[in-house]
Amino acid sequence: MSLHVQISNQGEALIVRLQGELDHHTSELLRTKMESAIEQENSNHIVLVLKDLSFMDSSGLGVILGRYKQITNKGGRMVVCNVNSSIYRLFEMSGLFKILTIEEDEEQALSSLGVVS
């Protein structure tokens, strides 16, 4: 399976919706798209929507951590939402939840960033 990446803006937040599998085959695609969007758009925050993400490996974690560093260097925050149980466990084991905020859904994620939906 492949990865479909949809990126849009909502106020100061870049909303990144992922569908499919985020692994060593697709992580470079996500890294390139997100880096470009962060640099081109006037976005201070990222909302990562994972409800349609079926699989992620350590390559995907690396891409997410890299974009976290990129957005926090701009003074922003990253919020993850709609995380299924297997991806949640991976985030938990990797320790990413110690630095990332998790919210139930996209609306709550935007609200936690102070972005009106």
Side-chain angles (χ1 to χ4, degrees):
M1 181 175 255
S2 63
L3 179 70
H4 177 71
V5 181
Q6 179 192 11
I7 299 178
S8 61
N9 270 51
Q10 176 107 16
E12 293 182 11
L14 193 66
I15 300 173
V16 181
R17 295 178 186 93
L18 303 180
Q19 179 181 10
E21 296 181 358
L22 178 54
D23 57 20
H24 68 282
H25 297 291
T26 59
S27 59
E28 185 62 25
L29 166 75
L30 179 61
R31 185 191 65 76
T32 303
K33 285 187 173 203
M34 285 184 73
E35 270 185 0
S36 176
I38 291 167
E39 290 172 12
Q40 291 176 4
E41 303 296 333
N42 188 23
S43 301
N44 295 323
H45 308 295
I46 296 174
V47 173
L48 200 54
V49 183
L50 303 181
K51 77 175 165 189
D52 295 321
L53 190 66
S54 57
F55 176 82
M56 183 188 322
D57 67 8
S58 61
S59 303
L61 289 173
V63 171
I64 291 171
L65 182 59
R67 290 337 95 222
Y68 166 81
K69 289 178 180 178
Q70 187 179 2
I71 204 72
T72 56
N73 285 341
K74 290 178 68 173
R77 292 177 42 214
M78 180 185 282
V79 179
V80 180
C81 66
N82 296 105
V83 183
N84 70 41
S85 59
S86 62
I87 307 279
Y88 186 94
R89 178 123 171 86
L90 183 62
F91 273 55
E92 206 171 36
M93 290 187 324
S94 70
L96 271 182
F97 284 146
K98 292 178 183 173
I99 61 171
L100 295 177
T101 303
I102 182 168
E103 293 291 349
E104 190 69 29
D105 57 34
E106 196 174 315
E107 186 177 322
Q108 290 176 350
L110 289 168
S111 178
S112 75
L113 293 169
V115 178
V116 178
S117 59

